Amino acid sequence: MLELKDIQKSFGEVQVLNGINLRLEKGLVYTLKGGNGSDKTTLINIISGFLEPTKGIVELKGKKIARFAPYRVNRLGIGRTFQDLRLATQMTVYENILLALEKKLFANPSKEQQKRADEILYPK
Ligand SMILES: Nc1ncnc2c1ncn2[C@@H]1O[C@H](COP(=O)(O)OP(=O)(O)O)[C@@H](O)[C@H]1O
Ligand SMILES: [Mg+2]
């Protein structure tokens, strides 16, 4: 379960998030919608560790994760995509998939991960 408690965010003088409280249950799909500039990306950035909230708590399964680096948030189970795709363009498609599975840049992929990458690249 992911919980947000009184999340606030300011950029300088400008306050964009003003006390967000949310409880997201495991196994359910949620949609965050709103017009351009309605703070959606800012909230996603805070949940995924790309931005620190000015105030407030992000809790994943009871563990406070606000202010963790993005890679730590990711290893705890929160993945994200970007509006503008961020692929490692100097790597092959296969290597990009392995990177997403491994969550590490420099590692020898296990047989299991290679098999999973093959399944993703060449679905039956
Ligand atoms: N790094 C930043 N510095 C200053 N203002 C920002 C920054 N990022 C976002 N904002 C402002 O925060 C508001 C929400 O932006 P954003 O979260 O990107 O909206 P959305 O994703 O809903 O379109 C906008 O007014 C935007 O200009
Ligand atoms: Mg956005």
Side-chain angles (χ1 to χ4, degrees):
M1 201 234 313
L2 179 68
E3 198 164 0
L4 307 182
K5 297 178 182 169
D6 193 25
I7 293 292
Q8 300 183 24
K9 180 68 186 174
S10 302
F11 294 108
E13 304 262 288
V14 183
Q15 179 145 22
V16 294
L17 295 172
N18 189 8
I20 301 290
N21 292 286
L22 281 177
R23 249 175 97 96
L24 309 184
E25 302 292 338
K26 185 176 178 179
L28 295 178
V29 176
Y30 297 85
T31 304
L32 179 61
K33 58 180 196 172
N36 278 344
S38 62
D39 311 348
K40 303 177 299 293
T41 298
T42 303
L43 190 63
I44 299 295
N45 282 337
I46 288 172
I47 292 170
S48 53
F50 285 77
L51 280 178
E52 288 187 8
T54 309
K55 183 173 180 287
I57 292 170
V58 181
E59 255 179 39
L60 181 65
K61 296 176 220 156
K63 187 182 174 83
K64 292 188 176 63
I65 62 164
R67 299 172 187 83
F68 276 21
Y71 80 92
R72 287 185 69 196
V73 174
N74 179 261
R75 283 180 196 175
L76 291 170
I78 296 185
R80 73 169 293 183
T81 58
F82 295 90
Q83 202 158 349
D84 49 332
L85 275 184
R86 303 209 187 167
L87 298 171
T89 51
Q90 73 282 21
M91 290 163 57
T92 64
V93 172
Y94 184 74
E95 285 166 344
N96 270 276
I97 292 172
L98 279 177
L99 178 62
L101 292 174
E102 283 277 352
K103 305 188 180 80
K104 286 189 219 139
L105 257 180
F106 305 105
N108 291 322
S110 65
K111 283 268 175 292
E112 210 169 281
Q113 281 160 332
Q114 291 178 39
K115 186 165 166 269
R116 182 75 192 111
D118 277 332
E119 285 167 0
I120 292 168
L121 258 182
Y122 309 108
K124 291 204 179 100

